[in-house]
Amino acid sequence: MVTIIDLLAWRVMQYADRGYITSSLTVASFFLFLHEIRNKKMCGIWAIFGSPDDTSIQCNAAHKITHRGPDAFRIETIHHFPTCCLGFHRLAIVDDLQGMQPMRVFRYPHVWLIYNGEIYNHQELQKEFDFHYATKCDGEAIIHLYAHGGIEFAAKHLDGVFSFCLLDTANRKVFLGRDTYGVRPMFRLYNDNGFLAVCSEAKGLIGLSQEAYSEHVEPFLPGHVESYKLDMLGKASFEERIRFHKVGEAPAYKTVAEIQDKNDVEENIRILLEAAVEKRLMAERRIGCLLSGGLDSSLVASILVKKAKEMKLSYRIQTFAIGMENSPDLLAARKVANFLETEHHEVVFTPEEGIAALEDVIYHLESYDVTTIRASVGMFLLSKYIKEKTDTTVILSGEGSDEIAQGYIYFHNAPSATDADIESKRLCEDLYMFDVLRGDRSTSAWGLEIRVPFLDHKFSSYYLSLSDSIKQPQKGIEKYLLRSAFDGIDLLPTDILWRPKEAFSDGVSSKTRSWFEILQEFICEQVNDSDLESTALTYKHNTPRTKEALYYRQIFEKFYPGQGDWIPYYWMPKWTGATDPSARTLKHYKQ
């Protein structure tokens, strides 16, 4: 299959051979450019089936997620399926055959695929099953796996993060799927009239249906696949939902990294986390790392720098930190960056900038959860800086470690090791509504792609399988096992490796005034006591108990009226009498 990119490459080589291009650097730069445009994968998907309205009008809703892929857009109707439509947003695409979606391949012309994500084992799958790929896109593996063994078989064999919508026109079927932790988002709207709509973000579905029924947009459950049958009018009828993978289960696919000694737990943790970072370097793009100076992001950054040197990447790794003037996070991140010799960027934000960002943050998050919003402001502003001031687009982050490795301070209060393990797995199950959501939306708002090694299937399933007692906080230190696994190997400064957990409100705060206090002072001026007293009459689900919660809920309802059930509860620490999610309210905090 010859593509535009291949023709361009062939022409450049011709000119170089004939002496028209004399600089080897020019040729090398051109091919680096081709690799970059071939491999940009941050995107947004949108689709409707059985539409009762004019699809040419409804497809305008797809533009609400343009930020996820601002450089290319395609909307496509399907022959013989006039009430169906597929939409796709992508970054900087030139070749529609190898990169643009909906994706189709000659071998299976009846299969249409739109997906958002990265399939890290696509080359291993090609070798294992003798697949004949028509493109160089990792997502093509989904089509071949489906053709080989069905949709559940396909989802089980994917090592990566993904949300997808696959249309099989030969069998008149639609299949939806999402990765185990919900790292890549997807929402669905479905009703008894046979109308099915899916989108990477809920905003692409709000107001889509004009019929006289209550539209119910809901997040697609991670670790599941669903199948729908299309009738001759293209209307969808739900068939079944299958959970193909659970948090903590070992993956079904073959993995490259295997533990060497079952008894050497710390060595195994190092092997699997390093492998998780390494596979996430699958990109011909500049890769950077968010760096707060805490344990999780510092570990990821240190492994990233190590792997970049081994792979002889042509650029220095960029690291990015944000905080108020002289905040603890900025100082700690600076120390890590100096140790790792990264190209470090510091963003200092003011209280006014943080407050001004709140409404945009809530719009992009599609959440009113208090702690999620507080923590998202910094990441949102930092992502804006990365997009506008650097050429890094893929960023690694430490999300997921607190849930996997029991890193929250309230784990010190767990009644037993068993209770702590149950809580850890519960947090992992719900990550897609909180920290994973924060990471995706804060970065995708600015067209960036976040990757989270701690939620690697192999690493997380191994760590969660360890005995309950070994995973608990020890010697008054949370994530003791994870820290000790990397102790003594000079990967990080010792004081960073053993730095206590820092609440976001304090980590980014100046020494004189915390982000937490700034928010309370501002919101108290925006919300009256009487408004809070009557809030139970307005919001029966997740009734706001504080002025801050009410303020966020009011903004949320302005954008997404009546959709408060997208989150089942406010994130709160367990085993405490706390009335606020901030770690600063806990007895053990900075003890």
Side-chain angles (χ1 to χ4, degrees), residues 7-18:
L7 290 173
L8 285 170
W10 172 73
R11 179 61 70 184
V12 167
M13 289 305 298
Q14 270 195 330
Y15 286 164
D17 290 341
R18 294 174 184 175

Side-chain angles (χ1 to χ4, degrees), residues 6 39 47 124 188 233 243 245 336 365 378 385-387 405 430 452 455 483-484 511 524 535:
D6 296 324
N39 287 279
E124 288 77 16
R188 175 201 54 216
L233 297 176
R243 185 164 191 173
H245 190 238
V336 176
L365 284 180
Y385 171 89
I386 295 171
K387 176 68 173 180
D430 290 352
V452 283
L455 297 182
R483 298 176 195 270
S484 62
K511 293 182 179 179
C524 276
T535 189

Side-chain angles (χ1 to χ4, degrees), residues 500-573:
K501 172 72 175 174
E502 193 84 68
F504 178 86
S505 297
D506 287 292
V508 301
S509 299
S510 67
K511 293 182 179 179
T512 57
R513 196 161 168 239
S514 76
W515 175 231
F516 174 85
E517 293 166 336
I518 290 166
L519 284 170
Q520 307 317 305
E521 292 172 11
F522 168 76
I523 291 171
C524 276
E525 297 177 357
Q526 311 303 313
V527 179
N528 298 323
D529 291 338
S530 58
D531 294 333
L532 185 61
E533 291 172 2
S534 61
T535 189
L537 299 176
T538 306
Y539 306 115
K540 299 186 183 303
H541 174 73
N542 282 341
T543 302
R545 303 298 181 189
T546 66
K547 288 186 177 181
E548 185 181 11
L550 177 57
Y551 181 70
Y552 297 156
R553 184 65 175 270
Q554 289 172 337
I555 296 175
F556 172 86
E557 292 288 337
K558 180 171 69 173
F559 296 124
Y560 311 108
Q563 305 294 338
D565 60 351
W566 285 348
I567 56 173
Y569 59 87
Y570 286 103
W571 195 99
M572 287 288 289

Side-chain angles (χ1 to χ4, degrees), residues 455-471:
L455 297 182
D456 179 79
H457 293 167
K458 186 69 174 180
F459 171 81
S460 63
S461 64
Y462 174 77
Y463 203 103
L464 291 171
S465 72
L466 298 173
S467 66
D468 296 349
S469 59
I470 197 174
K471 291 178 292 189

Side-chain angles (χ1 to χ4, degrees), residues 49-51 80-84 172 194 230-236:
F49 304 92
S51 171
H80 299 307
F81 292 79
T83 62
C84 305
R172 305 190 72 86
L230 300 181
D231 66 16
M232 297 309 294
L233 297 176
K235 292 188 175 183

Side-chain angles (χ1 to χ4, degrees), residues 209-251:
S209 172
Q210 302 301 318
E211 292 191 5
Y213 50 73
S214 176
E215 77 175 16
H216 185 60
V217 176
E218 57 187 0
F220 190 89
L221 290 176
H224 288 73
V225 290
E226 289 183 353
S227 61
Y228 296 81
K229 182 73 174 177
L230 300 181
D231 66 16
M232 297 309 294
L233 297 176
K235 292 188 175 183
S237 57
F238 174 79
E239 289 194 325
E240 63 177 342
R241 176 186 298 131
I242 299 173
R243 185 164 191 173
F244 65 86
H245 190 238
K246 295 181 180 179
V247 167
E249 283 184 348

